[in-house]
Amino acid sequence: MLARCGFGRRGLLKFAIAMTSSLALPPSVAPVMAANLAKAKRRSVIWLSFQECTGCLETLLRSSSPTIDQLIFDFISLDYQESLMAAAGSAAEQTLREAMAANKGEYLLAIDGSIPVKDGGVYSLTGGRSNLSMLEEVAADAKAVLAIGTCAAYGGIPKAYPNPTGAVGVEDLVSNKPIVNIPGCPPVPEVLSGVLVHFISFGRLPELDDRKRPLAYFGTTIHDQCYRRPFYDQGKFAKSFDDDGARQGWCLFELGCKGPVTHNACASLKWNGGTSFPIEAGHGCIGCSEPDFWDAGGFYTSLAGGSATGWKSAGIAAAVGLAGGAAAALSTRIATPLEDAPASPPEKTPPEKTPPDKLP
Amino acid sequence: MTLLAFARGPALQAAVLIMIAGICWRLAGIFLLRRRKRFALPRASVTGRIGGAFTTILTRFVPRRTFWPRIAVSVMLSGVFHIGLLIILLGGAPHIQVIHQVTGLTWPNLPKGLIVIVSGLTLASMIGLLIRRVLNPVLRLLSTVDDYLSWLLVFLPVLSGVLLSGETIGGYGTLLALHILSVELLMIWLPFGKLMHMLLVFAGRGAMGIDFARKGAAT
Amino acid sequence: MTDFSFLADDALVDALIMEIAGLLRRLIEHGEAGIIDVLGLPLPPSCVASLEQRLGHGEVTVRLDAAGASEIRETGIPGVWWTRHSNEQGRLVAMLIEVTFVPEILKANIADVVRGAERLPALTNVALRARGADVALRARGAGRPHDAS
């Protein structure tokens, strides 16, 4: 099948070798993967976009390995995607229904964007229908759900304080289907391709961590793979953006880098086909693949610091303390009687002093 | 909310406010107490009363030769602990960062390897002090919950800090959260137990110094 | 602080060479091929370069053009091949050390051979002239016998 599409046997084997390396599978698995890919029918994928900015789709369009055209022509059948497909309106709704019926129980459901639940989910509608009810219906017959981007995985930016629409991630709403979270704002596109290729080759999702992220890509932190790490270990930190230290590759910890607590593949896979990633461009990691990263206390506050109180609250606390202490001291002062000054010399006469020459 | 976000956010705010309120409470509660009236005239003194206060603060750092054989071990353990803690707090890069965030001051940091060695010595001296407290019959008799709790609340931050800097045991995010939370527990307990000696030792020695200077005694 | 990283490099390279030795033994005794995914190892680039240098260059270098360029080179140790795969954008996507008689990717696959055999008659002058194509057939090595592996 794939040979007809222009991907020769050797090209397919090479692709499989690259994929097994990327997925951290043993290289001996590559021929098995290539054989499975050659035989595989294109997997139906239904992509629903909810409360999102379209950044996750944009990042997928810039995937380099495989490219988006390779992906949708050779590996998957992208049966429904509102931005990319030609159909619109009722024709689009018909497409969705047909795709669901034709692939019932077998299609992969890809979601980007969070789902607002407040007020019956009225804050995000497609064709007059709430995302909440769409998710319920389409997920019911899906084989697995891919939550693409931090919004779909954990709620993302719509969930940031004060979360006026009641936005939540997919895992808070879907409980009876296998879910893979592919977080990132946006996610590294090769991660999504890796997950899809794994699923198509082996019929199952790759190994996931406790946050349902593929271990192959989210098993290590940015910190562990960062090329600036030797400078962190030596205590050489950039003090301001693009200063001499930063240009020499010094660590960006003091400029707010959240690399040590962020799991993602940016430092190894990088972006735009391995061109660069934020830290290489001189900006600290913002932790965009972790839940609630928007509310984690500021992108430019280092992990060593936090957001404590302002001077006003500190002043009030001090005043309260002083008041309490003063009250305590006052009550002690009232309770203990005043010392009297000695009024007159003692009545007893002092003993007679023995003259020195009379001493023995 | 993740544990780390909690530690760096609401928990930090609460701990700082409780610590400030608590310190002000205790200092006000002590300094606003009635002082004993002195009816004798003050004697002449070389240093004057304020000078006497500062002199006593400094002289009490040096143990008296007469007592040295008996107190040598505890003074050395205590010295390693206090000086070690000072080096860690003022020399460690992330701690300088915190101070910079609060005050705007900054200075060069010490190498990480040195801080790790000092941390090890500090932890060892703390264990030594605990062993001494438990084995010495008099100390054991005198020790209260305050003594053991204060020890634990200082031990945990140093231990979690050195594990965090080693980056071998546990995830960075979890260890960092535990380190910050342990410091916050220390901050909350600080004003109410014997850890308050951080500030009161200077007040106490100073008061003694003023008194001695007033009496014309050596400070 | 003195930089002792060069020692660590040596230890890593030594360990890998011992692993390759083990794979070679398996190849000799059981005919089983082995692969090491170099990019998947936590190796600094200096280590990779050092290892490649130590293994040296052999007699065979193959250039593969399939979904991007690849280079498969026999090292100074026969049976140990150093492979670099790049994608169409020229980015390195895989680096392998293969311990085998001939890397699998070089061999022609039977299905491809069958398909090729079916296409071959259409390349004769008679067939091409019948299709009206003005093509001069140059002997490009077609018809040279090659050894069966």
Side-chain angles (χ1 to χ4, degrees), chain B residues 74-85:
Chain B
S74 74
V75 167
M76 288 201 287
L77 284 175
S78 179
V80 168
F81 160 67
H82 282 92
I83 293 171
L85 198 59

Side-chain angles (χ1 to χ4, degrees), chain C residues 36-47:
Chain C
I36 298 174
D37 176 3
V38 178
L39 286 189
L41 299 170
L43 281 181
S46 55
C47 240

Side-chain angles (χ1 to χ4, degrees), chain A residues 52-300:
Chain A
E52 40 78 50
C53 72
T54 316
C56 293
L57 180 66
E58 291 287 338
T59 195
L60 185 64
L61 294 180
R62 287 151 181 78
S63 175
S64 67
S65 178
T67 57
I68 181 68
D69 45 308
Q70 279 174 333
L71 197 64
I72 66 177
F73 294 139
D74 298 341
F75 294 109
I76 63 172
S77 175
L78 189 56
D79 291 332
Y80 184 87
Q81 210 294 326
E82 286 150 14
S83 303
L84 296 178
M85 62 200 250
S90 50
E93 287 172 20
Q94 174 130 353
T95 310
L96 178 59
R97 276 196 292 278
E98 282 168 9
M100 283 172 65
N103 301 286
K104 195 176 157 104
E106 288 303 315
Y107 57 83
L108 289 175
L109 175 57
I111 310 270
D112 67 335
S114 58
I115 304 104
V117 300
K118 209 158 146 208
D119 298 333
V122 75
Y123 298 107
S124 184
L125 308 174
T126 306
R129 204 176 149 194
S130 77
N131 293 161
L132 187 54
S133 82
M134 278 181 85
L135 176 64
E136 212 180 290
E137 186 191 328
V138 185
D141 291 327
K143 180 114 181 170
V145 183
L146 308 176
I148 298 170
T150 305
C151 291
Y154 307 121
I157 186 169
K159 193 184 171 205
Y161 180 81
N163 196 359
T165 63
V168 295
V170 169
E171 61 184 10
D172 293 327
L173 296 171
V174 175
S175 50
N176 57 348
K177 295 281 168 183
I179 297 178
V180 179
N181 285 330
I182 302 171
C185 189
V188 176
E190 284 78 14
V191 173
L192 175 59
S193 334
V195 171
L196 286 170
V197 168
H198 189 286
F199 192 82
I200 295 162
S201 309
F202 304 116
R204 58 182 162 78
L205 297 167
E207 246 185 274
L208 305 176
D209 70 0
D210 59 339
R211 285 223 156 99
K212 301 199 184 76
R213 302 174 293 202
L215 263 175
Y217 300 107
F218 295 92
T220 54
T221 58
I222 304 291
H223 185 61
D224 291 333
Q225 307 274 11
C226 183
Y227 76 101
R228 293 190 190 231
R229 180 67 184 273
F231 295 101
Y232 171 92
D233 290 331
Q234 290 168 43
K236 293 196 169 121
F237 300 106
K239 301 291 177 186
S240 69
F241 284 111
D242 208 34
D243 67 3
D244 284 330
R247 287 201 214 148
Q248 285 174 58
W250 288 11
C251 175
L252 305 175
F253 187 91
E254 296 195 6
L255 300 178
C257 182
K258 303 296 184 296
V261 296
T262 305
H263 296 81
N264 208 340
C266 314
S268 44
L269 286 182
K270 300 197 191 173
W271 292 86
N272 293 310
T275 304
S276 182
F277 71 116
I279 291 169
E280 198 171 328
H283 191 287
C285 170
I286 62 172
C288 74
S289 56
E290 297 292 324
D292 301 326
F293 76 95
W294 293 102
D295 292 328
F299 295 153
Y300 305 106

Side-chain angles (χ1 to χ4, degrees), chain A residues 1-12 38-39, chain C residues 108-123:
Chain A
M1 179 269 291
L2 280 156
R4 282 200 299 276
C5 296
F7 224 17
R9 185 193 62 85
R10 289 197 178 99
L12 186 59
K39 291 197 301 255
Chain C
N109 174 262
I110 182 67
D112 290 344
V113 171
V114 167
R115 265 196 294 275
E118 286 164 6
R119 276 176 47 228
L120 206 49
L123 294 174

Side-chain angles (χ1 to χ4, degrees), chain A residues 223 296 302 305-307 321 333, chain B residues 8 21 25 32 34 97-98 101 167:
Chain A
H223 185 61
S302 84
S307 33
R333 287 175 92 124
Chain B
R8 290 175 71 228
W25 183 301
L32 291 175
R34 199 182 297 128
Q97 258 260 281
V98 174
Q101 205 191 346
E167 292 187 68

Side-chain angles (χ1 to χ4, degrees), chain A residues 239 254, chain B residues 94-107:
Chain A
K239 301 291 177 186
E254 296 195 6
Chain B
H95 303 139
I96 297 174
Q97 258 260 281
V98 174
I99 295 170
H100 175 67
Q101 205 191 346
V102 176
T103 63
L105 299 167
T106 188
W107 55 86

Side-chain angles (χ1 to χ4, degrees), chain A residues 9-10 14 21 64 269 273, chain C residues 68 86 91 105-107 109:
Chain A
R9 185 193 62 85
R10 289 197 178 99
K14 219 172 96 163
S21 183
S64 67
L269 286 182
Chain C
S86 301
R91 190 183 160 224
I105 203 169
L106 291 178
K107 294 190 199 163
N109 174 262

